[in-house]
Every structure is written in C-alpha cells, then in structure tokens.
Amino acid sequence: NGLWPISFALRPFCSAKSAVGCRNMQLGYSLLKLNNDIEMPVMGFGVFQITDLQLCEQVVSDAISVGYRLLDTASVYENESAVGAAIRKSGIPREEFFVTSKA
C-alpha cells in the first residue's frame, strides 16, 4: 500500500568506522528504512509518568548519551519541554532525532 517501511535491518547505530562521531553511543538497535529512504529507529525511549521536569530532562539526556534517537512523549504527560531541553543540550543536531508526541 506504499505506507509501510520498505526494509528492516538490525545494525549497530555506531560502528567502529564512525566511532569518532558517536558521542559515547553504545546502543545497537533495529532501523526501519522508510519509503523516503530515511532510516528510523525501531526502539525508542518513552517518558510516560515522568512528571518531574528536571528528572525527565536528566533521564532523556542519559538515554541520548547511550544512543537513543527516537523519543516518545505526549502533551498530556506535560514534559515535552524537558524532552526538548535535553535534545538542545545534547549538542546533537535536531535532524538526528525522531520525536513522537500525541495529545
């Protein structure tokens, strides 16, 4: 139907060849290659029930430091600002992240 990813492969996010730019990434996970050729992580980090904004920012920063690039939040969690702050402070370009949010 043209809506589903066209390939699926397990590969490390950070390999020995690209170790210089890895920023301590240790997480290996599956990626989906979407129809537009963008590769999206299958595994993400969610922040449901983390209501303390300082704690949320810290745990998202920790998740980023080990390689997570798919982050899941929602407006009803009331912690989207902490997720954004962690992304900004990481120094990693925003284009490298997938952020899912919902009402």
Side-chain angles (χ1 to χ4, degrees):
N1 65 13
L3 298 176
W4 293 100
I6 55 176
S7 68
F8 176 74
L10 177 64
R11 68 178 98 149
F13 186 80
C14 181
S15 68
K17 290 182 181 179
S18 62
V20 173
C22 282
R23 301 176 189 263
N24 299 321
M25 290 181 224
Q26 301 165 359
L27 184 68
Y29 52 78
S30 299
L31 297 171
L32 289 175
K33 188 172 185 179
L34 305 175
N35 287 333
N36 60 2
D37 290 329
I38 292 175
E39 292 184 328
M40 178 178 168
V42 173
M43 185 170 47
F45 185 82
V47 294
F48 178 58
Q49 295 183 333
I50 305 177
T51 56
D52 179 306
L53 295 180
Q54 192 171 13
L55 176 62
C56 183
E57 184 178 328
Q58 181 59 56
V59 298
V60 171
S61 293
D62 292 345
I64 290 169
S65 74
V66 297
Y68 281 96
R69 294 298 178 269
L70 171 57
L71 305 169
D72 178 69
T73 186
S75 60
V76 297
Y77 302 170
E78 297 182 351
N79 57 17
E80 291 172 310
S81 62
V83 173
I87 291 171
R88 277 190 302 280
K89 290 178 181 178
S90 74
I92 298 169
R94 170 61 180 87
E95 297 78 26
E96 292 188 25
F97 292 95
F98 289 84
V99 180
T100 59
S101 188
K102 48 218 162 283

